[in-house]
Amino acid sequence: MTTASPLIIALDYPSLDAALCMADRLDPERCRVKVGKELFTRSGPNVLEALHGRGFEVFLDLKFHDIPNTVAAAVLSAAELGVWMVNVHASGGARMMQTARERLDKAGLGTHLIAVTVLTSMTQDELAATGVSDDLEAHVERLARLAKDSGMDGVVCSARESAMLKQACGEEFLKVTPGIRPSFAQAGDQRRIMTPREAMEAGSTHLVVGRPVTQAEDPMAALDAIERELAE
Ligand code: C5P
């Protein structure tokens, strides 16, 4: 099943059962779901099979970063498991990204392949400590351009970077943004947040939303409220 919704609900749970319990409260016609490192490490591909069986398209958020051949093989494995989207770290370099792209194309698999630029948890000082003396935003732009030139379909970015990346990489280039807080929700530990509407207006193409939906008493009612905010 495919959906026109930009919403991707983060299933950040420590077990298959807990993740499926939430998935069973959501509608695959109105959102996609994201499986991250904790859930996948605990449950393995079973969780993907179970979510696909329920009709969901899945973003497998494992952020691969390794030598080109290893990353390409991992990306291909994810695509063969039928995921809708998978990601790598752009800082792994052009050859790493190109090799993954080529391997997917050769297999004829249409999985969306996107790259993380700079983790949004990183501060300017932390970036400098890794040896990158550039301004953080300039580094994000450089890595996004590199990702595009290396055949990536888009990037994971902060909604605050979406407008700049729309300029740099175009409207079609996917901008998948976490740190989204609907006007009814608490910020939690997220700092630099945007509402769904603000993020879409800034140029985000997909919105990753976790706790505002998964910790709501009625997750579908929360999804409804987000859809209403987007439609306003
Ligand atoms: O619950 P919340 O909406 O904050 O969840 C956001 C999701 O997006 C989590 O899965 C989190 O790991 C992920 N994420 C993030 N910030 C990033 C990258 C990913 O919050 N920079």
Side-chain angles (χ1 to χ4, degrees), residues 10 12 34 120 178 181 190 208-212:
D12 293 322
K34 178 171 92 68
T120 51
R181 285 295 174 270
Q190 294 280 14
V208 175
V209 184
R211 289 160 290 179

Side-chain angles (χ1 to χ4, degrees), residues 69 72-73 75-76 79-80 97-111 113 151:
N69 189 52
V75 164
L76 183 64
E80 285 173 349
M97 292 188 276
Q98 284 159 3
T99 309
R101 173 85 273 158
E102 284 161 17
R103 203 74 61 92
L104 273 189
D105 288 351
K106 203 165 155 203
L109 294 165
T111 302
L113 177 58

